Amino acid sequence: MDVEILNNLVETEAAVAVYFSAPHCGVCHALRPKVEELFSENFPAVKFIHVEIDKSPGISGELGVFSAPTLLVFFEGKEFLRKVRLMGIQELQEKIERPYKILF
């Protein structure tokens, strides 16, 4: 995936979540399935995208993501949430729930 494709998705989809990970990041790999499950079960209308920082440095640079894991959530083309490194599933759910219900 490149920057233009991602930017197009953010602009055209009502909601997009982008999860950034790094190849040798244990936390990234342990957290990713939990974050994906949160979105698929509780926020199914959000398009979930996984980006590996080492394979897509252009996207990381464009969005200012320099550490992993990082989660960016966009609603209607605007960045709503940015969580870097430490993120709890319950906390994510609470922060996303209200705007999600308003939008959908």
Side-chain angles (χ1 to χ4, degrees), residues 32-103:
R32 180 178 165 203
K34 295 174 186 172
V35 174
E36 281 191 81
E37 183 180 331
L38 171 71
F39 280 95
S40 67
E41 290 183 4
N42 299 300
F43 310 114
V46 176
K47 181 154 184 67
F48 188 88
I49 299 166
H50 174 238
V51 174
E52 293 182 31
I53 290 176
D54 61 319
K55 293 182 181 168
S56 303
I59 293 175
S60 304
E62 175 88 11
L63 295 175
V65 174
F66 303 107
S67 60
T70 296
L71 176 70
L72 302 181
V73 179
F74 298 88
F75 285 116
E76 296 183 323
K78 304 265 188 286
E79 185 178 316
F80 167 76
L81 178 70
R82 178 181 290 250
K83 293 299 288 179
V84 181
R85 294 184 195 234
L86 301 173
M87 58 185 95
I89 299 302
Q90 184 66 36
E91 177 194 5
L92 289 175
Q93 182 171 348
E94 290 169 4
K95 287 188 181 284
I96 297 167
E97 210 156 29
R98 186 167 178 268
Y100 182 85
K101 285 181 178 176
I102 290 169
L103 190 59

Side-chain angles (χ1 to χ4, degrees), residues 1-10 16 18 49 59 63:
M1 177 175 293
D2 67 10
V3 176
E4 289 178 15
I5 293 171
L6 181 62
N7 285 339
N8 187 42
L9 282 171
V10 168
V16 177
V18 187
I49 299 166
I59 293 175
L63 295 175

